Amino acid sequence: DAGVTQSPTHLIKTRGQHVTLRCSPISGHKSVSWYQQVLGQGPQFIFQYYEKEERGRGNFPDRFSARQFPNYSSELNVNALLLGDSALYLCASSQWRGQSAYEQYFGPGTRLTVT
Amino acid sequence: GNSVTQMEGPVTLSEEAFLTINCTYTATGYPSLFWYVQYPGEGLQLLLKATKADDKGSNKGFEATYRKETTSFHLEKGSVQVSDSAVYFCALIFRGSNYKLTFGKGTLLTVNP
């Protein structure tokens, strides 16, 4: 079975630009979460989506937004990029109900570099 | 708020040595606890989990026991291999947190042959 997939793998952008990152969850998983991992730190929660609705938001500015599609894939958008947005962006998928809902499975990430 | 504290790294061991990576947490209630592993250039892999007090999670020779009295979830392995070299993250999910994982800062493990 395919795991969580993310695209692109790497991305280089200039300050002030906009970026869109994409994620496809594990088949059968209906919830997608996004995390930002700055070098040398643990991942920080950005968003969680289920059934196309935002179910949770971390402490990130409004420049960060996301959405989920009917096939449960998701996009993370970041506007007006800053140097500090350079990080590995991780997508995780999980089931929504039951004890398994607490198990999140991560994709390989998108490495974003802002210059 | 909820938080996870891991022992400072890096940790360097010889092959077949015993590994312990300490993890303690602060949470209002009883979270589920996890260890994730991140190999160089890759995303995170779920290594093991425990959902209630005294549960022991285990996988690939790694173990961790959920200790409510000490709010700890220390990772152990009896005999490490070079292939275990990676960054290890302790994490928690707390009911009511919208399934948000809270991670520690990670511990870099290097195993030398």
Short mmCIF file of all heavy atoms in Angstrom, two decimals, chain A residues 102, chain B residues 2 26-32 34 92-102:
data_model
loop_
_atom_site.label_atom_id
_atom_site.label_comp_id
_atom_site.label_asym_id
_atom_site.label_seq_id
_atom_site.Cartn_x
_atom_site.Cartn_y
_atom_site.Cartn_z
N TYR A 102 -5.51 8.34 16.76
CA TYR A 102 -4.37 8.99 17.37
C TYR A 102 -3.06 8.64 16.68
O TYR A 102 -2.03 9.23 16.96
CB TYR A 102 -4.28 8.61 18.85
CG TYR A 102 -5.44 9.13 19.65
CD1 TYR A 102 -6.50 8.31 20.01
CD2 TYR A 102 -5.49 10.47 20.02
CE1 TYR A 102 -7.57 8.80 20.73
CE2 TYR A 102 -6.56 10.97 20.73
CZ TYR A 102 -7.60 10.12 21.09
OH TYR A 102 -8.65 10.62 21.80
N ASN B 2 0.40 21.54 27.11
CA ASN B 2 1.07 20.25 26.99
C ASN B 2 2.48 20.45 26.46
O ASN B 2 2.72 21.28 25.59
CB ASN B 2 0.29 19.35 26.04
CG ASN B 2 -1.14 19.16 26.49
OD1 ASN B 2 -1.41 19.07 27.66
ND2 ASN B 2 -2.05 19.13 25.53
N THR B 26 4.37 16.86 30.18
CA THR B 26 3.44 17.63 30.99
C THR B 26 2.14 17.72 30.23
O THR B 26 2.13 18.13 29.06
CB THR B 26 3.98 19.06 31.24
OG1 THR B 26 5.24 18.99 31.90
CG2 THR B 26 3.00 19.84 32.11
N ALA B 27 1.08 17.28 30.85
CA ALA B 27 -0.23 17.30 30.17
C ALA B 27 -1.33 17.32 31.22
O ALA B 27 -1.20 16.69 32.27
CB ALA B 27 -0.39 16.09 29.26
N THR B 28 -2.41 18.00 30.90
CA THR B 28 -3.57 18.01 31.79
C THR B 28 -4.47 16.86 31.41
O THR B 28 -5.36 16.99 30.59
CB THR B 28 -4.33 19.34 31.64
OG1 THR B 28 -4.60 19.56 30.25
CG2 THR B 28 -3.51 20.49 32.17
N GLY B 29 -4.19 15.71 32.01
CA GLY B 29 -4.96 14.52 31.69
C GLY B 29 -4.05 13.38 31.32
O GLY B 29 -2.88 13.35 31.72
N TYR B 30 -4.55 12.45 30.53
CA TYR B 30 -3.80 11.24 30.20
C TYR B 30 -3.68 11.09 28.71
O TYR B 30 -4.56 10.57 28.04
CB TYR B 30 -4.51 10.02 30.83
CG TYR B 30 -4.70 10.19 32.32
CD1 TYR B 30 -5.95 10.40 32.86
CD2 TYR B 30 -3.60 10.18 33.16
CE1 TYR B 30 -6.11 10.57 34.22
CE2 TYR B 30 -3.74 10.36 34.52
CZ TYR B 30 -5.00 10.56 35.05
OH TYR B 30 -5.17 10.74 36.40
N PRO B 31 -2.56 11.57 28.18
CA PRO B 31 -2.38 11.53 26.74
C PRO B 31 -2.00 10.15 26.24
O PRO B 31 -1.65 9.27 27.04
CB PRO B 31 -1.23 12.51 26.51
CG PRO B 31 -0.41 12.40 27.76
CD PRO B 31 -1.42 12.21 28.87
N SER B 32 -2.06 9.95 24.95
CA SER B 32 -1.39 8.83 24.29
C SER B 32 0.02 9.27 23.96
O SER B 32 0.25 10.44 23.62
CB SER B 32 -2.14 8.43 23.02
OG SER B 32 -3.40 7.91 23.32
N PHE B 34 3.94 8.51 22.08
CA PHE B 34 4.53 7.92 20.88
C PHE B 34 6.04 8.19 20.85
O PHE B 34 6.53 9.18 21.40
CB PHE B 34 3.93 8.56 19.61
CG PHE B 34 2.44 8.44 19.50
CD1 PHE B 34 1.63 9.37 20.10
CD2 PHE B 34 1.87 7.40 18.79
CE1 PHE B 34 0.24 9.27 20.02
CE2 PHE B 34 0.49 7.29 18.70
CZ PHE B 34 -0.32 8.22 19.31
N LEU B 92 3.25 13.39 22.16
CA LEU B 92 1.99 13.05 22.82
C LEU B 92 0.81 13.63 22.05
O LEU B 92 0.93 14.61 21.32
CB LEU B 92 1.97 13.55 24.27
CG LEU B 92 2.00 15.04 24.59
CD1 LEU B 92 0.62 15.68 24.47
CD2 LEU B 92 2.52 15.27 26.01
N ILE B 93 -0.31 12.95 22.20
CA ILE B 93 -1.60 13.48 21.74
C ILE B 93 -2.52 13.45 22.95
O ILE B 93 -2.62 12.43 23.65
CB ILE B 93 -2.21 12.64 20.61
CG1 ILE B 93 -1.60 13.03 19.27
CG2 ILE B 93 -3.72 12.84 20.52
CD1 ILE B 93 -2.19 12.32 18.10
N PHE B 94 -3.19 14.55 23.16
CA PHE B 94 -4.08 14.67 24.29
C PHE B 94 -5.50 14.76 23.79
O PHE B 94 -5.80 15.56 22.92
CB PHE B 94 -3.72 15.90 25.11
CG PHE B 94 -4.62 16.14 26.28
CD1 PHE B 94 -4.77 15.18 27.25
CD2 PHE B 94 -5.32 17.32 26.40
CE1 PHE B 94 -5.61 15.38 28.33
CE2 PHE B 94 -6.17 17.53 27.48
CZ PHE B 94 -6.32 16.57 28.44
N ARG B 95 -6.36 13.97 24.35
CA ARG B 95 -7.77 14.01 23.97
C ARG B 95 -8.29 15.43 24.15
O ARG B 95 -8.10 16.04 25.19
CB ARG B 95 -8.57 13.05 24.84
CG ARG B 95 -8.24 11.61 24.58
CD ARG B 95 -9.03 10.71 25.51
NE ARG B 95 -8.59 9.33 25.40
CZ ARG B 95 -9.04 8.47 24.50
NH1 ARG B 95 -9.96 8.87 23.64
NH2 ARG B 95 -8.58 7.24 24.46
N GLY B 96 -8.93 15.91 23.12
CA GLY B 96 -9.43 17.28 23.15
C GLY B 96 -8.50 18.25 22.48
O GLY B 96 -8.77 19.44 22.41
N SER B 97 -7.37 17.75 21.98
CA SER B 97 -6.40 18.62 21.31
C SER B 97 -6.59 18.58 19.81
O SER B 97 -5.70 19.02 19.08
CB SER B 97 -4.99 18.18 21.66
OG SER B 97 -4.69 16.92 21.06
N ASN B 98 -7.74 18.09 19.34
CA ASN B 98 -7.97 17.94 17.91
C ASN B 98 -6.89 17.09 17.26
O ASN B 98 -6.47 17.38 16.14
CB ASN B 98 -8.05 19.31 17.23
CG ASN B 98 -9.28 20.08 17.66
OD1 ASN B 98 -10.35 19.50 17.81
ND2 ASN B 98 -9.12 21.36 17.90
N TYR B 99 -6.44 16.10 17.96
CA TYR B 99 -5.46 15.15 17.43
C TYR B 99 -4.16 15.83 17.03
O TYR B 99 -3.50 15.41 16.10
CB TYR B 99 -6.05 14.37 16.26
CG TYR B 99 -7.31 13.63 16.65
CD1 TYR B 99 -8.55 14.13 16.31
CD2 TYR B 99 -7.23 12.45 17.37
CE1 TYR B 99 -9.71 13.47 16.68
CE2 TYR B 99 -8.39 11.78 17.74
CZ TYR B 99 -9.63 12.29 17.39
OH TYR B 99 -10.75 11.62 17.75
N LYS B 100 -3.80 16.89 17.74
CA LYS B 100 -2.54 17.59 17.49
C LYS B 100 -1.42 16.88 18.23
O LYS B 100 -1.47 16.71 19.45
CB LYS B 100 -2.66 19.02 18.00
CG LYS B 100 -1.36 19.74 18.23
CD LYS B 100 -1.59 21.01 19.01
CE LYS B 100 -0.30 21.56 19.57
NZ LYS B 100 -0.56 22.75 20.41
N LEU B 101 -0.39 16.46 17.50
CA LEU B 101 0.79 15.87 18.11
C LEU B 101 1.69 16.98 18.65
O LEU B 101 1.98 17.94 17.93
CB LEU B 101 1.58 15.06 17.09
CG LEU B 101 1.17 13.60 16.88
CD1 LEU B 101 1.81 13.06 15.61
CD2 LEU B 101 1.55 12.76 18.07
N THR B 102 2.13 16.82 19.89
CA THR B 102 3.12 17.72 20.48
C THR B 102 4.42 16.95 20.60
O THR B 102 4.45 15.90 21.25
CB THR B 102 2.66 18.23 21.85
OG1 THR B 102 1.45 18.97 21.68
CG2 THR B 102 3.72 19.12 22.48
#
